[in-house]
Amino acid sequence: MVAACEAFIEHGAGVPLDEIARRAGIGNATLYRHFGNRQDLIRTVTLSLLSHTANQAEASLATEPSPFEAVRRFMHHAVNEYFGALCPMLADYSDTRDHELYRARSRLEALVSNLVEAAQRSGTLRADVNASDLTAAVAQLARPLPGTGLERNDHFAHRHLELLLDGLSTCRPSSCPAP
């Protein structure tokens, strides 16, 4: 799954399946045995990403002492997962009638809404922010920049995420990573 995600991030959904098999250290016959076609692989990657990200949203809310810190932790996690780089691209290949995908996406949306509402109830997140704002911000920040390695892009994305979070907060600004 990791090899497929990395290949999709670097080359898009049209990356040759043989390249994904090579990265995974398996033969292409093994890949084709597990995933009959590109659509099956993309569906599995999408379900995994949605589930993992939803689990992180849930864990953030359950373990962080402050609801705003739960928002911060979740957003940094989503940036680390390149959520924004993968989801729009994978959405183009997903079947909108797939009930399992619909349930996974709905679960994630509900959990992000819970994060937003908890932070707003605590008075630490601006009242005019909604779950779509957070999702859109992550989608923009988590896309690798052309000509940058992923490590450099990670630093850039996390720095700008902290700047964004400062703007969303009703409290004190955070310590932003160096430019």
Side-chain angles (χ1 to χ4, degrees), residues 6-171:
E6 289 174 356
F8 288 147
I9 290 166
E10 291 175 29
H11 302 291
V15 65
L17 296 181
D18 290 348
E19 170 63 15
I20 294 171
R22 185 193 65 74
R23 285 175 180 238
I26 60 174
N28 58 0
T30 301
L31 181 70
Y32 289 112
R33 193 169 33 257
H34 291 287
F35 306 101
N37 57 42
R38 178 177 308 280
Q39 188 75 22
D40 291 345
L41 177 59
I42 289 172
R43 180 182 184 277
T44 301
V45 168
T46 303
L47 282 169
S48 176
L49 177 66
L50 290 170
S51 176
H52 184 69
T53 305
N55 290 343
Q56 287 300 317
E58 200 167 49
S60 295
L61 196 53
T63 60
E64 287 298 326
S66 153
F68 192 83
E69 289 306 312
V71 168
R72 173 176 273 118
R73 175 179 160 181
F74 167 74
M75 290 184 73
H76 278 284
H77 170 78
V79 166
N80 284 341
E81 294 293 317
Y82 291 94
F83 184 82
L86 287 169
C87 276
M89 174 192 65
L90 297 175
D92 291 341
Y93 288 85
S94 296
D95 182 353
T96 57
R97 299 164 296 179
D98 185 318
H99 295 294
E100 192 175 6
L101 281 171
Y102 177 80
R103 282 191 304 276
R105 192 177 84 233
S106 295
R107 176 178 175 242
L108 176 58
E109 289 170 355
L111 287 165
V112 174
S113 290
N114 291 346
L115 283 166
V116 168
E117 291 164 9
Q120 287 171 332
R121 279 193 308 273
S122 74
T124 57
L125 182 67
R126 292 171 42 158
D128 59 347
V129 174
N130 62 39
S132 295
D133 293 326
L134 298 188
T135 304
V138 167
Q140 295 302 313
L141 289 169
R143 294 175 190 214
L145 295 172
T148 64
L150 292 182
E151 182 179 304
R152 182 168 171 223
N153 189 75
D154 286 349
H155 179 79
F156 173 85
H158 287 287
R159 173 179 163 68
H160 286 96
L161 177 54
E162 283 300 320
L163 292 170
L164 172 74
L165 286 164
D166 285 349
L168 296 176
S169 173
T170 61
C171 298

